[in-house]
Amino acid sequence: MLKGKHIILGITGGIAAYKCATLTRLLIKAGAEVQVIMTPNAKQFIQPLTLSTLSGKPVISEFFTANTGQWNSHVDLGLWADALIIAPATASTIGKMAHGVADNMLVTTYLSAKAPVFVAPAMDLDMMRHPSTVRNIELLRSYGNHIIEPAEGELASHLVGKGRMEEPENIVKVLDEFFSADETMTGKRVLITAGPTVEKIDPVRYISNFSSGKMGFALAEECASRGALVTLVAGPVTLKTQNSSIERIDVTTAVEMHDAVMKSLPDNDAIILCAAVADYRVENVADKKIKREKNTAPVLHLTPNPDIARAVGQAKRADQVSVGFALETDNENVNAQSKMERKNLNFIVMNSLRDKNAGFQVDTNKVTIFTDKGEVIEGECKSKRDVAHDIVDVLQKYLSKK
Ligand code: C5P
C-alpha cells in the first residue's frame, strides 16, 4: 500500500534517531518516496548524509539552504505529503506540535501538513509519564494525529519502562494498514448522531441527560481522518470539530434530530447512532415560565419521542450499514443484543454504567461490540478516540463487503 506514497519522515533529537536509517530503508523498499526533515538536534544523533543516501533526497533541516540561499517551503512540503511520520518524537517536539511553537522546519511543516500525521514518541520513562507529556500527547490525539505508542523495555538510560520507540518494522506496518483502511473509507459518507437532546418544559427549563457527545465526536474525527465524508448531527454540546471535512448540523430536540437524520439518510453509506436521545418530551410545553405554587406541584405529561435508530432500521437500504449504541445498567449483553435486533442494526456497541471510567462525560470508555453475525468483541478501557478506532475498524469490514 505504500507504493508511490509521499512520506515525510521527521526526525527529532533522541537516541532512537539511529533507528531511522532502517525506517527510511524499509519505506523506500516498500515503494514510498521519502523526504527526511531533521530538527537541528537530531543531527547530533545521526548524520544527514546517511539519510540522504538511503532516501535518495537531500535532507532538509533549515528554512534556507545556507550555500544557495534557497528557501525550503514548508507549505509545499505539507501539500506534497501523503503522510507525515515524526519518529522518534521527543517530549520537546511533541510539546511544540501540541502548542504550535513553529521554531524549526519540522514543526512548521507539521502545522502546514494536510496529510495524516503519525507520531512515535521515544523518551525516558519519567519524561513519558510526566503530566505535561501525557497532556501534550492527548492534545495531539485530539487533533486527529495517530500516536504509535512506545514499547516497554530497556531504555538508553538503562532504566526499564515505557518509552522505547516502536520498531521500524512495526511503524511501517501501522502505515501500511492505515493506507489499506483508507481505501475503503475514502469518499464513503457516514452520518453520525451525537450528544444529548434537550426537551423543553417551559421557556427556562428542560429535560435532558448527561451525554457529553465525546464518543460521537471521536467517531466523527476517526471516520474523517480515514477519508470519509461525515455529517454529524449534534445535540446541544460544547465540543468543537477539528477535521474540516465534517459537516455539522446542530439540533436541540429529538424530533429535530430525527428529521435531520431521515433527510440525510438516503445519501449515506453508514449511519452511527451514538446520541443519547431523550425517550420522552413534554406534551404541552408551557409558553410562560411555570410559577412555583404553594401547595401543589405541576404534573408533566410526557409523550414518546421518535426512536431514530428504529426509524433508520426500517428505512435503510440493503447496502447501508447502521450501528447503534446501548448504555446499560443491568442484564447488559441480553439487552444490547435485543436492541440490535429490534432496531435492525448491523452491530451494536454496548457499554455498562457498572464499568468505571466508561460512559457519560469521561474521556475513556470500555465497550463490547455485538455483531449481527454473532461476533462478540470485548474491548479494554481506553480513550474514546481509541474506542472510536476499534468501532470504525468493524464498520470498515462491513462497508468493504457491501
Ligand atoms: O433503546 P435505547 O435508547 O437504549 O437504544 C439506544 C440506541 O438507540 C442508541 O444507538 C441511540 O442513539 C438510539 N436511539 C435513537 N433514538 C431514540 C432512542 C435511542 O436513535 N429515540
Side-chain angles (χ1 to χ4, degrees):
M1 295 311 298
L2 289 170
K3 204 169 167 38
K5 290 280 189 275
H6 294 171
I7 310 284
I8 291 180
L9 172 58
I11 308 177
T12 75
I15 179 63
Y18 79 90
K19 293 186 184 173
C20 288
T22 310
L23 181 54
T24 307
R25 183 83 198 93
L26 291 173
L27 290 168
I28 294 283
K29 246 176 121 179
E33 264 189 64
V34 180
Q35 173 64 62
V36 175
I37 304 181
M38 297 175 85
T39 62
N41 276 334
K43 291 191 280 183
Q44 309 282 351
F45 289 92
I46 184 166
Q47 284 293 322
L49 182 61
T50 310
L51 298 155
S52 60
T53 310
L54 289 169
S55 66
K57 283 188 201 297
V59 166
I60 297 174
S61 186
E62 311 297 334
F63 292 106
F64 292 92
T65 308
N67 54 351
T68 61
Q70 185 197 326
W71 181 53
N72 293 315
S73 167
H74 54 91
V75 178
D76 288 351
L77 278 169
L79 294 175
W80 173 84
D82 293 310
L84 185 61
I85 321 169
I86 320 281
T90 54
S92 158
T93 293
I94 290 171
K96 286 181 188 178
M97 289 163 70
H99 298 282
V101 182
D103 67 349
N104 64 37
M105 191 61 196
L106 178 56
V107 182
T108 314
T109 306
Y110 163 73
L111 292 178
S112 308
K114 286 198 178 312
V117 178
F118 297 81
V119 183
M123 64 196 79
D124 200 47
L125 75 167
D126 290 316
M127 290 178 89
M128 189 68 211
R129 61 182 172 214
H130 191 281
S132 151
T133 313
V134 172
R135 183 181 292 176
N136 286 336
I137 289 180
E138 259 332 296
L139 276 174
L140 295 188
R141 248 191 250 280
S142 76
Y143 306 155
N145 298 165
H146 303 262
I147 307 297
I148 305 177
E149 289 288 344
E152 303 239 351
E154 190 180 346
L155 306 169
S157 57
H158 302 300
L159 295 171
V160 177
K162 189 174 172 184
R164 279 170 69 96
M165 187 178 95
E166 187 51 277
E167 292 306 325
E169 289 75 10
N170 291 339
I171 296 180
V172 174
K173 203 166 146 223
V174 169
L175 276 180
D176 199 56
E177 279 172 6
F178 174 83
F179 282 115
S180 8
D182 223 26
E183 296 272 289
T184 319
M185 289 305 275
T186 303
K188 286 278 186 302
R189 291 185 177 272
V190 184
L191 176 62
I192 301 174
T193 67
T197 65
V198 164
E199 314 293 335
K200 267 189 176 175
I201 298 171
D202 68 15
V204 294
R205 303 181 181 99
Y206 61 81
I207 298 173
S208 191
N209 57 64
F210 295 117
S211 170
S212 61
K214 285 178 182 168
M215 193 64 242
F217 275 61
L219 282 161
E221 297 295 340
E222 182 61 33
C223 290
S225 80
R226 297 190 194 198
L229 303 164
V230 178
T231 305
L232 177 64
V233 183
V237 290
T238 52
L239 301 172
K240 290 193 168 65
T241 53
Q242 314 276 345
N243 195 309
S244 56
S245 70
I246 300 172
E247 187 204 340
R248 176 169 174 174
I249 303 173
D250 286 309
V251 296
T252 304
T253 65
V255 169
E256 285 169 13
M257 186 174 275
H258 169 270
D259 294 351
V261 166
M262 296 318 278
K263 195 169 163 215
S264 297
L265 181 63
D267 303 329
N268 283 277
D269 300 290
I271 306 93
I272 308 178
L273 298 135
C274 190
V277 184
D279 288 322
Y280 300 97
R281 66 179 181 276
V282 177
E283 206 164 37
N284 295 310
V285 177
D287 53 6
K288 292 200 181 72
K289 185 178 171 191
I290 300 171
K291 296 276 180 308
R292 184 187 172 93
E293 302 284 343
K294 235 187 178 165
N295 297 320
T296 57
V299 175
L300 296 179
H301 288 279
L302 301 180
T303 187
N305 268 328
D307 183 334
I308 305 169
R310 203 170 180 156
V312 166
Q314 282 164 358
K316 74 174 181 182
R317 300 184 305 265
D319 64 315
Q320 292 176 306
V321 180
S322 69
V323 182
F325 275 72
L327 174 64
E328 303 295 338
T329 53
D330 55 279
N331 214 6
E332 288 89 345
N333 295 6
V334 174
N335 286 343
Q337 291 183 63
S338 93
K339 252 172 223 177
M340 174 169 67
E341 282 157 31
R342 245 186 3 257
K343 300 180 189 229
N344 189 23
L345 301 163
N346 294 89
F347 66 93
I348 193 157
V349 183
M350 189 277 287
N351 57 327
S352 169
L353 268 195
R354 285 198 279 192
D355 280 321
K356 263 199 181 157
N357 300 324
F360 284 144
Q361 299 290 337
V362 291
D363 290 322
T364 50
N365 210 355
K366 182 177 184 311
V367 303
T368 305
I369 297 175
F370 299 91
T371 75
D372 59 0
K373 298 183 192 107
E375 294 155 304
V376 180
I377 307 160
E378 268 192 60
E380 302 286 313
C381 181
K382 29 181 128 168
S383 73
K384 285 189 172 166
R385 186 60 202 257
D386 286 346
V387 173
H389 184 274
D390 295 348
I391 296 169
V392 179
D393 277 351
V394 180
L395 174 64
Q396 213 165 268
K397 280 195 194 131
Y398 273 88
L399 283 171
S400 65
K401 288 190 189 116
K402 291 273 176 187

